[in-house]
């Protein structure tokens, strides 16, 4: 794309008063407007950019019309290869911090026990763990475990809690650890 010198091409469109200029202006302003509106939303999500993709695709297509098919094919192959390598590397490292399957399996094996959470639970393991009844909220896990001796409390800790008799399970997650504390079993 940078070899096509889009800035010089836009200048030549302006100088020649090309009819394409009006369409490119509309596409550019539409793309920028959608991007600005969705950037103003406080909760950022990657899929918020989807409405801007058609505008960006048409703009890129316009400037890439002069590239040969062989060069496009080679570039696409390299990009797909880089994506595959990056995805494989992320799957082996980063994505493990987002996989809650081990915790869900632990919960599923003990689903008859009483369960509570001591953090801002957002339903992260509900489907994976096949939870049939909702978790209770436990502001004070120690007191909750005393009143539910066969129960478990899931809490989030920022540092590695190590091992102790009370910790039944721990799993590293995005920012810290999810730790399952057990009562007197």
């Amino acid at each position: 794309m940078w070899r096509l010198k889009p800035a010089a091409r836009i200048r030549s469109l302006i100088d020649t008063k090309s009819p394409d200029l009006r369409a490119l202006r509309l596409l550019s302003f539409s793309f920028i407007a959608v991007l600005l509106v969705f950037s103003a939303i406080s909760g950022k999500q990657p899929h918020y950019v989807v409405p801007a993709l058609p505008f960006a695709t048409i703009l890129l297509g316009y400037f890439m019309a002069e590239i040969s098919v062989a060069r496009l094919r080679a570039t696409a192959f390299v990009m797909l290869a880089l994506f595959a390598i990056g995805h494989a590397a992320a799957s082996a490292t980063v994505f493990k911090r987002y996989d809650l399957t081990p915790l869900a399996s632990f919960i599923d094996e003990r689903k008859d026990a009483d369960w509570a959470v001591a953090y801002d639970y957002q339903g992260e393991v509900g489907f994976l763990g096949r939870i049939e009844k909702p978790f209770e909220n436990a502001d004070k896990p120690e007191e909750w475990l005393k009143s539910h001796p066969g129960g478990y409390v899931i809490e989030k800790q920022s540092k590695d809690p190590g091992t102790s008799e009370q910790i039944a399970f721990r799993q590293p997650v995005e920012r810290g650890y999810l730790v399952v504390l057990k009562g007197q079993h």
Side-chain angles (χ1 to χ4, degrees):
M1 182 71 190
W2 65 89
R3 288 184 183 174
L4 297 175
K5 300 177 184 162
R9 191 143 174 229
I10 291 171
R11 260 186 259 115
S12 73
L13 288 171
I14 293 170
D15 293 342
T16 61
K17 298 192 188 301
S18 171
D20 293 348
L21 189 60
R22 289 178 58 197
L24 290 174
R25 222 182 268 149
L26 175 67
L27 286 169
S28 300
F29 288 140
S30 300
F31 174 76
I32 291 169
V34 168
L35 210 58
L36 287 175
V37 166
F38 284 108
S39 294
I41 296 172
S42 64
K44 307 286 188 277
Q45 296 292 325
H47 57 272
Y48 289 174
V49 183
V50 171
L53 289 178
F55 303 122
T57 305
I58 295 170
L59 280 169
L60 284 173
Y62 179 82
F63 288 108
M64 293 173 57
E66 296 175 7
I67 298 175
S68 69
V69 175
R71 180 171 291 237
L72 280 175
R73 191 177 299 130
T75 304
F77 177 74
V78 169
M79 289 174 66
L80 285 172
L82 288 174
F83 176 78
I85 292 168
H87 187 69
S91 293
T93 57
V94 177
F95 291 166
K96 286 185 179 181
R97 289 221 178 251
Y98 294 95
D99 182 17
L100 296 178
T101 307
L103 176 60
S105 297
F106 183 84
I107 293 170
D108 189 40
E109 292 168 4
R110 295 156 181 84
K111 71 171 101 185
D112 293 333
D114 293 327
W115 284 89
V117 290
Y119 69 99
D120 186 23
Y121 178 68
Q122 301 293 318
E124 299 96 4
V125 294
F127 178 75
L128 286 173
R130 296 174 181 87
I131 307 300
E132 295 173 4
K133 61 181 181 178
F135 292 141
E136 293 182 38
N137 286 324
D139 294 331
K140 299 177 182 173
E142 300 299 328
E143 290 178 18
W144 189 91
L145 286 171
K146 285 179 184 173
S147 63
H148 300 84
Y152 297 92
V153 175
I154 305 170
E155 68 178 8
K156 197 175 260 189
Q157 296 183 2
S158 58
K159 296 181 181 174
D160 186 0
T163 57
S164 73
E165 284 186 24
Q166 193 177 15
I167 296 176
F169 180 86
R170 68 188 170 109
Q171 178 178 349
V173 291
E174 179 188 8
R175 292 187 185 116
Y177 287 80
L178 284 177
V179 179
V180 177
L181 303 174
K182 64 181 178 180
Q184 300 297 324
H185 288 263

